[in-house]
Amino acid sequence: MSALAPEADRPATRRRPARSTLTPASGLGLGIAVLWFSLLVLIPLCAVIVTAVDGGWQIFWATITNEQTFAAIRLTVLAAAAVTVVNAVMGTAIAWVLVRDRFWGRGVLEVLIDIPFALPTIVAGLVLLSLYGTDSPLGIDVANQPASVFLAYLFVTLPFVVRMVQPVLEELDTDVEEAASSLGASRLTTFRRVILPSLTPAIAAGSALSFARGVSEYGALVLLSGNLPFKTEVTSVRILGSVENNNLAAAASVATLLLVISLSVIVLLDVLQRRVSRRG
Amino acid sequence: MVGYLFLLVAWPVSLVVTKAFADGTTGIRAILEDPDVVHALQLTVVVALCAVVINTVFGVGMSLLLVRQEFPGKRALSALVDLPLSVSPIVVGLALVLVYGGRNGWFGPTLEEHGLRVIFATPGMVLATAFVALPLVIREVVPVLHEIGTDQEVAARSLGANSWQIFWRITLPAIKWAVVYGVVLSLARSLGEFGAVKVVSGNVLGETRTATLVVEEKYLNFDQQGAYATAFLLAMVSVACIVIVSLVRPRGHR
């Protein structure tokens, strides 16, 4: 996760010191690419932040401390955090099995893991509703319960940790592990002291992605959760509500907060991961 | 662990298939005979194709610039291109409305004076879809570009090839599978985009309603059969995309 270098404000392309290798042609290409990127991504995101700050700090604060909004934010963050923890453990375990074990049907598992990523989110919601909804064949009905938010997040964030850890695990030499166990380390010690440190960056990066995806999810839970205020309403639903009421300033305030939350978790996990891998 | 995946993914997905075909093929046929649904499907395909073409050209170009060139602000730019993955689709929609909205957006009123309507029309939906799928091609192509190195390109240049020839004859064939992989992923993501499109499209029946919006609308109107049938069509396309990817992958990088 290279996200957010501190100086990352806006790429300065017009200045061109000696270090640049741009020819006039590729300079033009870069110019066009950055222009398109700005029009599509940077300017609209700036517009969200500007609109949020425009009304002044007090209005911003009043919007995000509104009781209903606060409940939505709390639910979103708690559910996403819980899902991230589950993913960090289960994702690593799944990646481990896919890399180290050879068994029939491995290809099918690979496809299964990618399904949540490619399945349209609204279809994902419908899919979950058919097994965990009111006429659930399992007798588990989480529809309109806070647990539905957790379930929807769990589904859409499944691939992230797996897909981050898997390539690292493939590269990892088994020699070191064998050396460790021949020196008398138990399997747990080998895992904790030898394997885990080299996996930590990948696990952290995957967790960051899955948290960010979790807090921003909308489509997968809209049918499942019922969007009941104070109970199952999440932040993105709350933002949409403000947009539909044409209260764009309030929507922008909550959206800014959402952006800040997901970016700070990405940065936090990046810092955490560096500290852990340095300790080795 | 297999049980976990079964309960979370395999079983629910298979239920959609059984529900879609609960009354044989009548559900699917009813969907395909409904002109509004057909229009929604066509619109979905058009929007997704536009977004994928834009993202492929942008993605390959951006990857080449990020890997092969040095320029100030490069680190910042490469961090920023990942940003769309962490932004909520609803926030994407909101952001685009704030800038391109017809009444009080930053650029919207000016564009509308010149006859270009963005929000509540197809261009806005293409923008929203392109936004959410933006990093996918770049994330596939950049590692491969790093891996193949520049030896062959340098050799070609020393033999007198120009940049254009090098790109078509050397670089593109080398990154071909990564591009295909990125395109397929983008296509799956674009066809299924829901939240962002919901905000910018206005969801007008027969005009700006896409397939994913049809699923929601049908479900909320208690037309479960129709919802499951449409969902099945969408799910089939995305599963097909993944299967293609998993077939392509071993021959490409990895």
Side-chain angles (χ1 to χ4, degrees):
Chain A
M1 212 66 243
S2 58
L4 282 200
E7 73 277 19
D9 242 329
R10 182 76 70 95
T13 46
R14 253 160 266 143
R15 280 182 295 125
R16 205 187 290 171
R19 215 164 53 81
S20 161
T21 60
L22 291 174
T23 59
S26 54
L28 181 69
L30 181 67
I32 295 172
V34 170
L35 180 68
W36 169 246
F37 186 64
S38 308
L39 283 175
L40 183 66
V41 177
L42 296 179
I43 297 176
L45 287 182
C46 287
V48 172
I49 297 169
V50 168
T51 313
V53 220
D54 228 11
W57 175 247
Q58 277 180 337
I59 296 181
F60 178 74
W61 188 247
T63 313
I64 60 174
T65 49
N66 168 294
E67 238 176 288
Q68 194 182 342
T69 310
F70 184 73
I73 293 170
R74 197 179 48 196
L75 174 66
T76 311
V77 171
L78 287 180
V83 162
T84 306
V85 172
V86 174
N87 275 334
V89 177
M90 284 310 284
T92 312
I94 292 171
W96 180 269
V97 171
L98 285 178
V99 173
R100 290 295 167 87
D101 295 342
R102 291 281 164 270
F103 53 93
W104 185 87
R106 217 174 116 256
V108 179
L109 279 193
E110 291 269 0
V111 172
L112 275 188
I113 285 162
D114 274 337
I115 283 185
F117 187 75
L119 208 62
T121 49
I122 184 79
V123 177
L126 201 61
V127 156
L128 290 172
L129 201 55
S130 64
L131 187 56
Y132 301 106
T134 30
D135 43 354
S136 158
L138 277 177
I140 304 170
D141 179 10
V142 296
N144 306 338
Q145 300 291 325
S148 64
V149 175
F150 177 78
L151 183 67
Y153 287 177
L154 203 59
F155 185 87
V156 293
T157 58
L158 170 73
F160 292 112
V161 174
V162 182
R163 289 297 177 229
M164 280 292 187
V165 172
Q166 210 178 357
V168 181
L169 210 50
E170 271 164 10
E171 299 279 299
L172 211 63
D173 244 337
T174 44
D175 292 0
V176 200
E177 289 163 45
E178 280 157 21
S181 59
S182 76
L183 290 171
S186 70
R187 291 193 65 174
L188 189 68
T189 317
T190 314
F191 182 76
R192 199 168 51 86
R193 301 293 296 273
V194 178
I195 303 167
L196 204 55
S198 36
L199 293 186
T200 315
I203 297 176
S207 305
L209 277 180
S210 94
F211 184 86
R213 178 69 203 270
V215 290
S216 60
E217 186 49 41
Y218 169 70
L221 51 79
V222 67
L223 295 180
L224 199 61
S225 76
N227 312 320
L228 308 169
F230 296 106
K231 194 174 171 204
T232 60
E233 190 183 50
V234 297
T235 318
S236 47
V237 174
R238 186 86 181 119
I239 298 173
L240 185 68
S242 302
V243 173
E244 282 173 345
N245 291 330
N246 221 355
N247 189 353
L248 293 182
S253 300
V254 185
T256 305
L257 186 67
L258 197 61
L259 284 175
V260 170
I261 291 175
S262 56
L263 290 185
S264 41
V265 169
I266 289 173
V267 172
L268 184 77
L269 280 171
D270 195 49
V271 170
L272 210 67
Q273 163 246 312
R274 265 183 227 175
R275 192 163 294 170
V276 173
S277 53
R278 211 181 302 139
R279 205 186 49 190
Chain B
M1 195 213 70
V2 172
Y4 177 73
L5 286 178
F6 180 72
L7 282 175
L8 192 60
V9 185
W11 196 3
V13 173
S14 64
L15 271 181
V16 165
V17 181
T18 43
K19 290 213 176 182
F21 288 103
D23 309 330
T25 54
T26 45
I28 300 278
R29 248 185 294 145
I31 288 291
L32 293 177
E33 278 161 11
D34 181 346
D36 288 332
V37 177
V38 172
H39 181 273
L41 290 173
Q42 284 168 343
L43 182 66
T44 307
V45 171
V46 169
V47 168
L49 285 182
C50 288
V52 167
V53 168
I54 292 172
N55 276 347
T56 309
V57 174
F58 173 81
V60 172
M62 194 58 130
S63 311
L64 281 171
L65 288 166
L66 286 176
V67 177
R68 293 284 188 260
Q69 306 284 341
E70 287 300 328
F71 52 87
K74 182 170 128 165
R75 262 199 59 191
L77 190 60
S78 77
L80 283 173
V81 290
D82 264 350
L83 197 60
L85 281 185
S86 321
V87 179
S88 171
I90 300 295
V91 177
V92 173
L94 170 69
L96 291 172
V97 168
L98 285 173
V99 172
Y100 298 104
R103 256 180 306 154
N104 34 22
W106 287 7
F107 305 151
T110 323
L111 288 174
E112 218 153 86
E113 271 169 33
H114 293 86
L116 180 64
R117 186 161 198 192
V118 180
I119 300 301
F120 302 140
T122 316
M125 295 156 73
V126 173
L127 282 182
T129 311
F131 188 127
V132 292
L134 182 92
L136 298 177
V137 172
I138 301 177
R139 288 172 74 93
E140 292 307 321
V141 175
V142 163
V144 180
L145 275 178
H146 274 298
E147 207 172 295
I148 59 174
T150 54
D151 292 356
Q152 286 191 315
E153 289 167 25
V154 172
R157 191 174 297 279
S158 75
L159 293 171
N162 64 34
S163 309
W164 200 242
Q165 285 170 321
I166 294 176
F167 175 72
W168 283 109
R169 301 269 180 85
I170 310 283
T171 315
L172 195 58
I175 59 171
K176 186 171 60 183
W177 290 115
V179 175
V180 171
Y181 189 26
V183 166
V184 174
L185 281 181
S186 305
L187 189 68
R189 189 83 173 78
S190 304
L191 286 172
E193 184 42 41
F194 171 67
V197 169
K198 185 174 177 178
V199 177
V200 299
S201 72
N203 197 3
V204 181
L205 178 69
E207 273 178 51
T208 59
R209 179 169 295 168
T210 60
T212 46
L213 296 170
V214 166
V215 174
E216 189 202 23
E217 188 262 346
K218 286 211 181 291
Y219 188 84
L220 294 178
N221 288 335
F222 304 104
D223 179 7
Q224 288 224 3
Q225 182 72 50
Y228 278 109
T230 318
F232 169 74
L233 289 179
L234 283 169
M236 215 175 52
V237 175
S238 56
V239 171
C241 284
I242 309 178
V243 172
I244 292 172
V245 163
S246 68
L247 292 178
V248 163
R249 207 173 203 174
R251 271 181 289 158
H253 57 107
R254 287 250 171 152

